[in-house]
Amino acid sequence: MSAPERFLERLTLRRTDDPSWVAARRQAGAARFEAMGFPTRRDEAWKYTDVRRIAEGDFALASDADFDAARFEAQRLDIDAYRLVLVDGVFSEALSELEGLPDGVQVEPLSRALSVNHEAVGGALGRLAGVDFSPFTALNTAFADEGVVVRLAPGAVVDKPIYVLLLSRANGQAVMSHPRVLIEAGARSEATVIEHYSGEAEAANFTNVVTELLLDRGAIVDHYKLQEAALTDLHVASIHVDQSRDSRFNSYNLNLGGALVRTDLVTDLNGEGAEAAYNGLFFVQGRQHVDNHTLVNHNSPRTFSNENYKGVLDDRAHGVFNGKVFVKKDAQQIEAYQNNANLLLSDRAEIDTKPELVIYADDVKCSHGATTGQLDEDAVYALRSRGIDEPMARALLTLAFVGEVMDKVRLNVIAERVERAVAGRLPERFNLADLVETAEAIQEA
Amino acid sequence: MLEVKDLHVTVEDKAILNGLNLTINAGEVHAIMGPNGAGKSTLSAVIAGKDGYEVTQGTILFEGQDIFEMEIEERARAGLLLGFQYPIEIPGVKNIYLLKAALNAQRAARGEGEIPAPEFMKLVREKSAEMKMDPSFLQRAVNEGFSGGEKKRNEILQMLVLQPKLAMLDEIDSGLDIDAMKVVASGVNSLRSADRAILLVTHYQRLLNHIEPDRVHVLVDGRIVKSGDKELALELEARGYDWVLEESAA
């Protein structure tokens, strides 16, 4: 049996009460996935990322959402939010908190949205992430029966973040999940949505998530992806964004965990005045592999994008950044900026970076660049001259490098969590968690 | 406290210091003056362990210890601090991180535990007020976007928090207006005590009106050619360096 057949066999174990259009789409996804198969390194988009660990794995589907309460409390973000929790892809009513949603704001698990009024979801679901995008979106389409639907009526402003927590358990049998996130932001609506991936330390599951965001005129969405999965977890994600006139999309793609992580982020700026900001950070150690593929399509005149991705790589970790900015013919008065900076803490860490601009218009302001390097030795000396030992000096400077992305993060609880995680995971004696706490305490006082 | 004996230093094979001798006792303030290129900054840089200086001969003892046996950070922890002429910017490293890490490193070297957070907060607030620095500076990256005067005040703030036994200040007055100079000088003066010492490296006498030295040395061609009390600085201000050069040549 081929790897795709082996994966698709699990489909037969699913419930079969889908609405007919969902069933048809599943079949299309399955057929496409079977035809394409898993990507190999011969595929240009997967040149640096080997997915054999996924293809050769044996992943069951979880059937319950039980999760240790104490562990849940320790891992969730301490944030006042509307919370929806999936455990290995299964909705947990017990851990979710969705009471008190304002008028015009819908947040519910995909399964419920489909069972209550599947027609309302049908138009949008899958519109951006078609089965042809990649074998993984096809696979997701075949399997996805859970996820999150967020719909904002025109003018709705969500008072608190919408917090989607996706937990991964360490079971005897590894599992796969194919969550589907759909965010429809009506005209002039505003929301902050957090996708937070976390779980038990020894979890070795496969998460394959697809997120679609549709921003109508003037909508503003901050989208956080905080990926803190176990260092043994496998994680593939694609995020697809469609932006109408004057809308604003701010992406924060923060990757700390996972053994093998691939994220595709694609935004189509389809209306004048639309603006996208991509902020990215990855911090990898050991033999972690993180691949970010980003794409901004400037399809309309007077659209703006600004991308800043930073990577810190230690040990034998491997990072990939492939960022493409595409300006369509006659899409004039574009501004597009892109930057990728990487810090290598070890000689054996590796980064493959490829910033790319493809421009078919003449009235554009664009810049792109990539830098990879080590720490500034003058700064190391300046810190040592104050009595700070060398490892600590290097740790402080690493944290500073990360801080330049964190300064853009508007949710303090996330910025602080990432800073602490980085500080706490730096090599021996690099532990700066205490320093970060002091700075926070002084700021609050 | 500090004993420099027959110090010879080269930079890129060029001799900069040629047999320098200097003794500084606890409680004293010394000023090293001299024309440009005499090697003034080299002395303090070598003591602080900066890269790029080759010591070809001589010894430096700090409290009886050979400092060439000590790492840069060990010298700082032992109480040797250099205030830089051109403090560098360290983007992203908050002042507060630097101060706390440095202070705790020094305490650890003395076998003391980490400073409790409330005590630390009180200390840095007091000291920044002394340097007329807004507490918001503590949350800003070290020297990033600071004016010349702010950078110098920040150097002194580090000294006030770390309380070095020997504070070396390299051209701390350069680029300061008179008000900033007074703030810096008052910070430096507050470091004066019977068990500490201060070494000022300066081109101009102006600073010495605000920080009165016990001893003034004239450094020419990598050697101290004349030493005296504060009157010597005034004389240099009035007469320039030429007469010292002639005297030493004679």
Side-chain angles (χ1 to χ4, degrees):
Chain A
M1 206 179 340
S2 71
E5 281 167 3
R6 210 157 37 72
F7 272 71
L8 292 171
E9 201 184 26
R10 303 267 181 196
L11 260 184
T12 57
L13 305 174
R14 291 190 52 267
R15 63 188 171 82
T16 50
D17 54 347
D18 290 325
S20 60
W21 65 269
V22 175
R25 203 169 288 185
R26 271 190 213 296
Q27 280 169 11
R32 196 75 192 97
F33 175 65
E34 197 167 0
M36 286 194 278
F38 280 101
T40 70
R41 294 187 56 183
R42 284 188 297 276
D43 298 298
E44 180 61 23
W46 296 86
K47 193 171 168 185
Y48 299 106
T49 297
D50 187 337
V51 301
R52 270 180 299 180
R53 261 185 291 180
I54 297 170
E56 290 166 6
D58 174 30
F59 303 102
L61 292 167
S63 53
D64 67 75
D66 299 337
F67 200 82
D68 180 69
R71 201 184 279 264
F72 165 75
E73 282 304 322
Q75 301 207 340
R76 73 179 179 92
L77 287 174
D78 184 12
I79 190 171
D80 183 19
Y82 302 109
R83 188 175 67 226
L84 195 152
V85 181
L86 302 184
V87 178
D88 288 332
V90 180
F91 174 60
S92 168
E93 181 99 55
L95 299 178
S96 299
E97 257 182 31
L98 291 166
E99 293 81 33
L101 282 162
D103 286 348
V105 179
Q106 178 193 350
V107 180
E108 58 186 359
L110 176 65
S111 57
R112 191 176 297 165
L114 286 176
S115 68
V116 171
N117 184 2
H118 67 85
E119 278 142 355
V121 182
L125 194 70
R127 210 174 90 195
L128 305 180
V131 295
D132 293 328
F133 180 79
S134 87
F136 289 100
T137 52
L139 182 63
N140 175 285
T141 305
F143 276 92
D145 49 16
E146 194 52 282
V148 186
V149 174
V150 175
R151 302 173 86 203
L152 310 172
V157 175
V158 192
D159 53 338
K160 297 190 280 193
I162 295 163
Y163 174 31
V164 183
L165 176 58
L166 301 101
L167 295 165
S168 177
R169 288 176 298 198
N171 297 319
Q173 166 68 49
V175 295
M176 61 178 169
S177 60
H178 304 274
R180 192 86 181 198
V181 180
L182 174 65
I183 299 165
E184 275 188 278
R188 299 172 320 282
S189 63
E190 286 179 37
T192 294
V193 180
I194 305 162
E195 284 179 41
H196 181 200
Y197 297 85
S198 186
E200 295 179 340
E202 305 79 25
N205 301 320
F206 167 43
T207 301
N208 177 33
V209 57
V210 173
T211 300
E212 293 170 285
L213 297 105
L214 295 105
L215 277 63
D216 206 345
R217 280 191 163 206
I220 301 173
V221 175
D222 279 12
H223 180 257
Y224 289 85
K225 184 180 175 211
L226 175 59
Q227 189 274 109
E228 296 183 302
L231 297 174
T232 38
D233 250 351
L234 308 168
H235 184 99
V236 176
S238 66
I239 301 165
H240 309 256
V241 192
D242 175 302
Q243 290 189 244
S244 301
R245 189 175 183 129
D246 297 327
S247 62
R248 201 160 80 223
F249 173 66
N250 297 313
S251 163
Y252 304 89
N253 180 16
L254 312 168
N255 285 286
L256 301 171
L260 173 63
V261 180
R262 162 70 176 243
T263 304
D264 284 86
L265 171 58
V266 181
T267 297
D268 277 279
L269 299 169
N270 289 328
E272 286 193 24
E275 189 174 341
Y278 286 3
N279 303 286
L281 174 74
F282 51 97
F283 177 81
V284 281
Q285 294 177 303
R287 303 201 71 154
Q288 281 182 280
H289 179 102
V290 171
D291 179 347
N292 285 299
H293 267 62
T294 68
L295 171 61
V296 181
N297 288 313
H298 287 267
N299 300 328
S300 187
R302 281 176 289 283
T303 49
F304 311 94
S305 68
N306 194 348
E307 173 167 19
N308 187 20
Y309 264 65
K310 288 202 160 191
V312 181
L313 301 106
D314 198 5
D315 305 326
R316 300 184 69 172
H318 188 184
V320 181
F321 173 79
N322 185 300
K324 190 166 170 182
V325 174
F326 181 87
V327 180
K328 201 175 165 181
K329 186 166 180 289
D330 298 330
Q332 306 293 2
Q333 293 174 31
I334 300 294
E335 284 184 44
Y337 306 103
Q338 187 193 59
N339 189 48
N340 167 234
N342 303 295
L343 182 60
L344 299 177
L345 299 179
S346 133
D347 294 342
R348 293 194 295 176
E350 185 183 333
I351 177 82
D352 292 290
T353 175
K354 187 177 178 194
E356 223 181 323
L357 286 174
V358 182
I359 303 172
Y360 294 105
D362 44 32
D363 184 9
V364 298
K365 270 194 223 166
C366 295
S367 70
H368 71 149
T371 55
T372 295
Q374 282 89 33
L375 295 168
D376 174 4
E377 290 303 319
D378 287 339
V380 174
Y381 169 76
L383 293 171
R384 291 178 69 198
S385 79
R386 296 299 176 254
I388 297 168
D389 65 26
E390 195 172 336
M392 176 72 125
R394 292 187 184 280
L396 277 170
L397 294 168
T398 304
L399 196 61
F401 182 83
V402 166
E404 288 174 63
V405 173
M406 289 304 106
D407 287 348
K408 298 271 183 1
V409 169
R410 279 188 271 197
L411 286 175
N412 266 337
V413 67
I414 290 183
E416 285 169 8
R417 187 172 176 116
V418 171
E419 284 199 350
R420 281 186 202 202
V422 171
R425 270 175 50 192
L426 286 165
E428 202 186 354
R429 293 206 299 155
F430 272 36
N431 199 320
L432 303 173
D434 169 61
L435 278 182
V436 175
E437 273 166 38
T438 303
E440 284 163 15
I442 287 188
Q443 197 144 33
E444 279 154 24
Chain B
M1 176 173 286
L2 184 80
E3 256 183 288
V4 181
K5 277 191 192 156
D6 193 30
L7 186 66
H8 290 70
V9 175
T10 60
V11 176
E12 289 169 357
D13 292 331
K14 190 174 166 236
I16 305 292
L17 297 182
N18 303 299
L20 186 142
N21 292 289
L22 176 67
T23 300
I24 299 177
N25 299 309
E28 295 176 348
V29 176
H30 288 236
I32 294 194
M33 303 184 70
N36 285 328
K40 300 191 297 289
S41 293
T42 298
L43 175 63
S44 52
V46 167
I47 297 173
K50 218 170 176 174
D51 274 349
Y53 298 87
E54 194 180 346
V55 177
T56 53
Q57 200 178 318
T59 55
I60 303 178
L61 299 181
F62 178 65
E63 298 195 308
Q65 252 194 299
D66 178 357
I67 69 161
F68 298 134
E69 299 291 314
M70 300 161 81
E71 293 287 344
I72 297 160
E73 52 267 44
E74 288 172 338
R75 298 180 199 186
R77 287 179 208 161
L80 265 173
L81 278 197
L82 171 61
F84 295 107
Q85 181 178 4
Y86 303 109
I88 69 160
E89 300 189 1
I90 313 180
V93 174
K94 291 178 183 177
N95 261 320
I96 194 85
Y97 288 1
L98 183 154
L99 291 171
K100 193 168 186 206
L103 187 59
N104 279 333
Q106 192 190 74
R107 289 169 68 107
R110 284 198 302 259
E112 295 169 19
E114 296 199 343
I115 185 167
E119 199 181 309
F120 175 71
M121 284 157 67
K122 187 164 169 282
L123 175 74
V124 291
R125 288 205 168 153
E126 265 172 33
K127 300 300 182 190
S128 40
E130 267 180 63
M131 291 315 294
K132 306 222 176 329
M133 291 169 79
D134 190 272
S136 66
F137 271 82
L138 297 167
Q139 299 292 343
R140 286 175 55 185
V142 178
N143 294 328
E144 195 179 31
F146 287 23
S147 70
E150 285 166 348
K151 286 181 183 171
K152 294 298 175 75
R153 278 192 277 163
N154 206 26
E155 292 292 287
I156 305 300
L157 172 65
Q158 292 168 12
M159 300 261 173
L160 295 187
V161 170
L162 298 173
Q163 295 282 311
K165 287 179 187 158
L166 176 62
M168 299 179 288
L169 303 166
D170 188 7
E171 306 275 1
I172 196 70
D173 50 331
S174 66
L176 293 187
D177 62 29
I178 187 67
D179 291 330
M181 166 104 88
K182 281 180 181 164
V183 173
V184 163
S186 121
V188 174
N189 283 326
S190 77
L191 287 169
R192 292 180 91 136
S193 79
D195 52 3
R196 289 176 210 291
I198 295 168
L199 175 62
L200 303 167
V201 173
T202 181
H203 190 68
Y204 300 105
Q205 187 271 339
R206 185 177 76 142
L207 177 72
L208 307 181
N209 290 333
H210 301 276
I211 308 170
E212 207 171 275
D214 300 299
R215 299 289 293 162
V216 175
H217 311 279
V218 182
L219 186 65
V220 176
D221 291 337
R223 264 193 301 268
I224 288 173
V225 295
K226 194 170 181 65
S227 298
D229 58 14
K230 62 179 178 179
E231 299 303 324
L232 176 58
L234 292 169
E235 204 174 347
L236 290 168
E237 177 78 356
R239 297 173 61 191
Y241 286 104
D242 289 350
W243 65 277
V244 189
L245 296 175
E246 281 159 27
E247 238 184 56
S248 67

